[in-house]
Amino acid sequence: MDIPLKPGAAAPSPFAIPIFRAIWIASMASNFGGLIQSVGASWMMTSLASSPQMIALVQASTSLPIMLFSLWAGAVADNLDRRMVMLVAQSFMLVVSVVLAAGAWLGLLTPWSLLIFTFLIGCGTAINGPAWQASVGEMVPRPTLPGAIAMNSMGFNIARSAGPAIGGVIVAAAGAAAAFLVNAVSYVGLIAVLFRWRPDLPPRLLPRERLGVAMAAGIGYVARSPHIRTVLIRAALFGLAASAVPALMPLIARNLIAGGPLTYGMLLGSFGMGAVGGALVSGRLRRQLATEGIVRIAAVALALGALITSATGHIAIALPALALAGAGWVLSLSTFNVSVQMASPRWVVARALALYQMSAFGGIAMGSWLFGVIAENEGIVTALRAAAALQLVSVLAGLILPLQRISDADLDPMDQWQEPETAVPVEPRSGPIIITIEHRIPQPNIVPFLAAMSERRRIRLRDGAHGWSLMRDLAEPELWIERYHVATWLDYVRHNARRTKADMTNSDTLRALRVEGTEPVVHRRIERQTGSLPFTRAPGPHEMAEPMTDLTRSS
């Protein structure tokens, strides 16, 4: 639930909100632990396996679960208590980290068992991510949301700037097992804060969706939202190219610079410090530049960072180059994240974010493997230069798929629709339900009417309708009939409850185009089979509709 602001009031700093501040601090501590664990895992792999591909797979193993499970996790987060989802995910990662530390301490780890443990931690991250990101909107007012997202990125990258260096010191002094144990302890603070948090949420008026249906609804919403769809494509391209720098960082430290775990920690720390700088300037850039401009600058920065790093074996040059790459990394990913959150209503925001994560981290996982293979066969320098070239290709992709400016549309529920009384008794599972809406449009308004109905079609399908069509009566030229169906009466209620205040623009346009003094006439019908009980499925696109019973007729 978005926290309201008084009219004319300035958006407060996210840190002025106690729960955001507490969770931000606890999350940063957990991020420190996660990055220390990452250093331990990557460096341990260099001792367990000499293959660059296996070393790069450490990052891939933590990114792959995000691609595989995020949509499921997003559906869970949109249907269950997000706080409880985060608590379960954090507790799961705590247990896995303790077992990983014990395995490393006893010398039981092999390259593949290490990858299994990092994969399991990635699974916990995949479950936690959509719930955490979607819950930010339950902590801060909507105008503060972009700043809160940027602060989350900054918090992670503050940890990135110092965590890897601390991890390098811990690994050098006490071994990887100590790094894994520190990560396990880092979950405790966040679990405690989440346990005490009691968000003030609106009552749930409708039953929870089945997970399969909820996942399909999330995919449908994103598929019918051109802006979000473009963000997902661009995020996948960016992640594919950007993955090389963090994935090959152990090899850069060991082979290009001839350093040890401390050098590796310093390189990751420089990358993180650059990311902190990127997060700090992101707000100013959003006020001065279009979204596409920010992403292009970020991609060029990352490409330059990779090229400069590939051309030197000196740490003094590599550190600022990686800081530049880190700034580009966080600028792009935080901009993509803000774009998706601001374009998604609360009922589907976790699923939209999950699909974004699947795109971005799917690209990162694929890129980690790809550039690991290139590094193994052609060398690290070639892999970094290939990544820089691919990043520039992602810039050119903006000419074909440009990002829109971050939306400030009001996506709060319209809350004007009320479930109608029906003359024929219906239950939530009754269906299929066929809806027809009659519009009377004068001849001069037909062209703008068709344009408005094209947008209406997108809104209907985006919110869960099926089989949308528009018909014109041959006997009454002014009569146009909009038709669609949903599987059940409950789906019809959900469909209408999803309408947002931003959709009122389309409704107002249609109202202005109708014959003066007329209102749309709505028929709600349930499909029936002759001599049997009602269908439980909607007809296919080429099936003949069965006889229907009119439930209601209203304007």
Side-chain angles (χ1 to χ4, degrees):
M1 179 179 65
D2 289 336
I3 300 172
L5 285 178
K6 295 180 180 179
S13 165
F15 294 123
I17 300 168
I19 184 58
F20 178 84
R21 185 171 63 247
I23 291 183
W24 185 86
I25 293 170
S27 293
M28 188 167 67
S30 179
N31 289 332
F32 265 103
L35 289 162
I36 290 169
Q37 184 274 147
S38 178
V39 171
S42 294
W43 198 256
M44 173 169 270
M45 186 61 83
T46 64
S47 63
L48 296 176
S50 59
S51 165
Q53 185 175 350
M54 290 297 293
I55 294 169
L57 281 177
V58 173
Q59 176 173 290
S61 67
T62 57
S63 301
L64 185 62
I66 298 174
M67 182 182 69
L68 296 177
F69 304 125
S70 279
L71 180 56
W72 176 85
V76 169
D78 279 331
N79 278 276
L80 301 177
D81 183 339
R82 291 169 181 153
R83 183 184 71 94
M84 290 302 301
V85 173
M86 289 188 282
L87 277 170
V88 170
Q90 294 290 325
S91 300
F92 172 77
M93 289 188 283
L94 169 61
V95 171
V96 172
S97 297
V98 168
V99 177
L100 174 59
W105 196 273
L106 297 172
L108 301 177
L109 294 180
T110 66
W112 286 107
S113 65
L114 176 60
L115 288 176
I116 289 172
F117 278 111
T118 55
F119 179 84
L120 290 174
I121 292 174
C123 290
T125 302
I127 295 170
N128 182 78
W132 158 235
Q133 294 185 62
S135 69
V136 175
E138 295 164 359
M139 302 177 199
V140 304
R142 182 176 175 82
T144 309
L145 189 56
I149 293 169
M151 291 303 100
N152 282 339
S153 296
M154 186 181 76
F156 176 78
N157 287 289
I158 288 173
R160 187 197 289 272
S161 63
I166 296 171
V169 171
I170 291 173
V171 172
F180 300 150
L181 185 60
V182 169
N183 181 45
V185 173
S186 73
Y187 293 115
V188 174
L190 184 54
I191 290 172
V193 173
L194 289 172
F195 188 79
R196 292 198 306 268
W197 179 36
R198 294 293 184 270
D200 182 17
L201 300 176
R204 184 180 292 273
L205 302 178
L206 297 174
R208 295 186 177 94
E209 295 177 278
R210 297 191 306 275
L211 285 180
V213 173
M215 292 164 66
I219 294 172
Y221 185 90
V222 169
R224 297 291 176 180
S225 301
H227 173 46
I228 300 179
R229 196 169 61 237
T230 298
V231 172
L232 266 55
I233 295 171
R234 295 291 300 280
L237 287 173
F238 177 85
L240 182 67
S243 62
V245 173
L248 299 177
M249 200 84 75
L251 297 175
I252 295 170
R254 188 185 69 180
N255 297 356
L256 284 185
I257 301 178
L262 184 57
T263 301
Y264 174 47
M266 291 175 64
L267 295 180
L268 278 178
S270 182
F271 187 88
M273 288 178 66
V276 171
L280 288 173
V281 303
S282 62
R284 180 179 300 175
L285 288 177
R286 277 196 301 272
R287 291 190 294 270
Q288 296 178 351
L289 297 175
T291 305
E292 180 63 36
I294 296 173
V295 170
R296 288 180 183 178
I297 290 172
V300 170
L302 221 155
L304 285 175
L307 282 174
I308 296 170
T309 302
S310 71
T312 180
H314 299 285
I315 191 169
I317 298 175
L319 289 176
L322 291 173
L324 181 64
W329 174 281
V330 79
L331 273 175
S332 277
L333 293 181
S334 65
T335 299
F336 292 143
N337 189 306
V338 171
S339 295
V340 172
Q341 288 226 40
M342 298 297 283
S344 306
R346 300 306 304 166
W347 70 269
V348 76
V349 65
R351 280 164 280 184
L353 285 166
L355 288 166
Y356 156 68
Q357 285 190 339
M358 289 174 64
S359 298
F361 285 90
I364 290 170
M366 181 64 69
S368 298
W369 169 80
L370 172 64
F371 293 113
V373 171
I374 294 174
E376 183 167 357
N377 293 297
E378 304 295 335
I380 304 169
V381 171
T382 300
L384 289 172
R385 290 175 179 174
L390 185 57
Q391 193 63 261
L392 294 177
V393 171
S394 77
V395 174
L396 296 177
L399 301 176
I400 302 172
L401 292 170
L403 295 167
Q404 299 177 14
R405 187 174 290 276
I406 292 174
S407 172
D408 58 356
D410 189 346
L411 299 181
D412 287 339
M414 192 183 304
D415 286 338
Q416 292 182 354
W417 189 84
Q418 294 183 347
E419 184 175 352
E421 296 289 336
T422 62
V424 176
V426 291
E427 296 180 0
R429 66 176 183 272
S430 299
I433 305 297
I434 291 82
I435 310 299
T436 59
I437 305 170
E438 299 176 0
H439 307 266
R440 293 195 173 270
I441 308 298
Q443 181 68 30
N445 293 349
I446 287 178
V447 172
F449 170 75
L450 292 175
M453 291 306 286
S454 177
E455 174 66 6
R456 172 61 65 92
R457 174 182 182 274
R458 186 188 70 81
I459 293 171
R460 293 286 191 202
L461 297 177
R462 180 200 68 189
D463 290 349
H466 302 282
W468 189 96
S469 63
L470 181 65
M471 300 170 284
R472 188 180 191 183
D473 196 295
L474 298 178
E476 299 182 62
E478 288 188 343
L479 179 59
W480 294 77
I481 301 173
E482 175 188 1
R483 184 187 189 278
Y484 65 92
H485 65 260
V486 290
T488 66
W489 182 256
L490 178 58
D491 289 321
Y492 176 62
V493 175
R494 287 192 201 280
H495 169 77
N496 285 280
R498 290 169 178 169
R499 199 173 306 169
T500 67
K501 293 178 181 177
D503 297 331
M504 282 296 296
T505 301
N506 180 256
S507 299
D508 292 341
T509 299
L510 289 171
R511 186 178 298 109
L513 294 172
R514 296 188 190 105
V515 171
E516 187 175 355
T518 66
E519 292 292 334
V521 177
V522 182
H523 291 271
R524 305 170 183 91
R525 298 180 173 93
I526 186 168
E527 189 171 300
R528 304 294 296 267
Q529 287 183 321
T530 304
S532 73
L533 295 176
F535 267 6
T536 58
R537 68 171 181 86
H542 304 294
E543 294 178 337
M544 185 70 71
E546 297 290 336
M548 294 177 288
T549 299
D550 198 342
L551 301 175
T552 62
R553 181 182 185 278
S554 65
S555 298

